[in-house]
Amino acid sequence: GEQVEQLPSILRVQEGSSASINCSYEDSASNYFPWYKQEPGENPKLIIDIRSNMERKQIQELIVLLDKKAKRFSLHITDTQPGDSAMYFCAASPSSGSWQLIFGSGTQLTVMP
Amino acid sequence: ETAVFQTPNYHVTQVGNEVSFNCKQTLGHDTMYWYKQDSKKLLKIMFSYNNKQLIVNETVPRRFSPQSSDKAHLNLRIKSVEPEDSAVYLCASSKWAGGPNTEVFFGKGTRLTVV
């Protein structure tokens, strides 16, 4: 079945700098790639997603890139703020007929003031 | 704003007991899920339920079973809990009946501790 690898597991950056998280997947037919942010004690919340018909999407300071040939996608947070500190998960939705969102193992991001 | 409601928030129980967790979504979604989040924060799908069709992750032990009365509710029962069942159980829902290719909304989870 689909597997999603996520790196790094821990990321510390200075406030105002950029943070990048990378994910790779195995199923070339996967067509939906969401990113979730989970703060301590809270539920994971969708922050941005990208579908297989796109290569790049930006919402404010969040940029996602998708390279279908390499089966890789990434999240870039520009101008990080302390409020960006959280656990981030990438996920991939395998080809139709499967109901599962397969999550990466998570990245603990800390933005240092 | 939470639209997937789970109860209880926490539950402590002894090995061998039966537990049941409740989940309700008020989004009018067609599909509901249960995920397990372990101590390392790994998120694993356990069940998907849509239009009375249940899809089970084959790695889930048989002592786990989902129970649904209607499309807004999906409860989770664990018969005879074991120590490795200690985790946060997250209920979720999504709109599309064809699969999770739309936003999945999570509840705040039920933290289970098995002593």
Side-chain angles (χ1 to χ4, degrees):
Chain A
E2 174 71 290
Q3 302 239 18
V4 176
E5 184 174 333
Q6 181 173 350
L7 291 170
S9 55
I10 297 173
L11 181 59
R12 295 190 181 95
V13 299
Q14 287 295 136
E15 182 177 355
S17 65
S18 295
S20 295
I21 303 171
N22 300 296
C23 290
S24 60
Y25 60 98
E26 294 185 350
D27 184 352
S28 57
S30 290
N31 53 21
Y32 175 62
F33 307 91
W35 287 88
Y36 283 80
K37 177 183 181 182
Q38 186 176 25
E39 300 188 68
E42 292 293 321
N43 46 336
K45 295 183 175 72
L46 180 74
I47 53 172
I48 191 168
D49 56 15
I50 191 167
R51 297 183 189 278
S52 57
N53 60 350
M54 300 175 71
E55 294 179 349
R56 184 182 190 276
K57 183 174 180 179
Q58 180 166 3
I59 298 176
Q60 296 179 332
E61 79 280 5
L62 302 177
I63 300 170
V64 288
L65 302 174
L66 173 62
D67 182 342
K68 284 180 291 185
K69 273 190 180 173
K71 293 189 279 189
R72 287 201 285 253
F73 58 115
S74 55
L75 172 69
H76 306 272
I77 307 173
T78 60
D79 189 23
T80 53
Q81 300 298 312
D84 293 326
S85 296
M87 196 78 173
Y88 289 81
F89 293 95
C90 63
S93 178
S95 49
S96 61
S98 172
W99 298 73
Q100 299 183 19
L101 250 190
I102 307 301
F103 282 87
S105 53
T107 296
Q108 182 65 54
L109 172 64
T110 303
V111 179
M112 297 172 291
Chain B
E1 188 179 342
T2 304
V4 180
F5 302 95
Q6 292 186 239
T7 58
N9 295 329
Y10 303 94
H11 189 76
V12 181
T13 191
Q14 292 183 324
V15 170
N17 284 352
E18 177 175 316
V19 300
S20 188
F21 304 147
N22 300 315
C23 180
K24 168 187 168 182
Q25 55 95 2
T26 59
L27 297 163
H29 285 169
D30 297 303
T31 307
M32 294 185 72
Y33 313 85
W34 277 101
Y35 283 82
K36 179 181 180 182
Q37 187 168 39
D38 63 20
S39 58
K40 295 181 181 176
K41 302 293 185 185
L42 291 173
L43 272 166
K44 292 279 173 63
I45 182 80
M46 300 178 72
F47 303 101
S48 304
Y49 190 80
N50 170 270
N51 287 334
K52 300 187 180 176
Q53 181 186 4
L54 174 66
I55 297 179
V56 181
N57 185 328
E58 64 270 13
T59 66
V60 173
R62 287 176 176 255
R63 60 181 178 278
F64 290 83
S65 59
Q67 299 169 318
S68 178
S69 55
D70 55 56
K71 74 172 190 177
H73 295 84
L74 185 67
N75 299 333
L76 180 67
R77 187 178 81 151
I78 314 174
K79 262 195 318 187
S80 189
V81 295
E82 298 189 6
E84 61 263 31
D85 298 338
S86 295
V88 175
Y89 291 88
L90 291 162
C91 177
S93 71
S94 68
K95 182 178 180 181
W96 190 37
N101 287 359
T102 57
E103 181 173 357
V104 175
F105 291 80
F106 286 90
K108 294 204 170 187
T110 294
R111 181 177 294 278
L112 172 66
T113 302
V114 180
V115 298

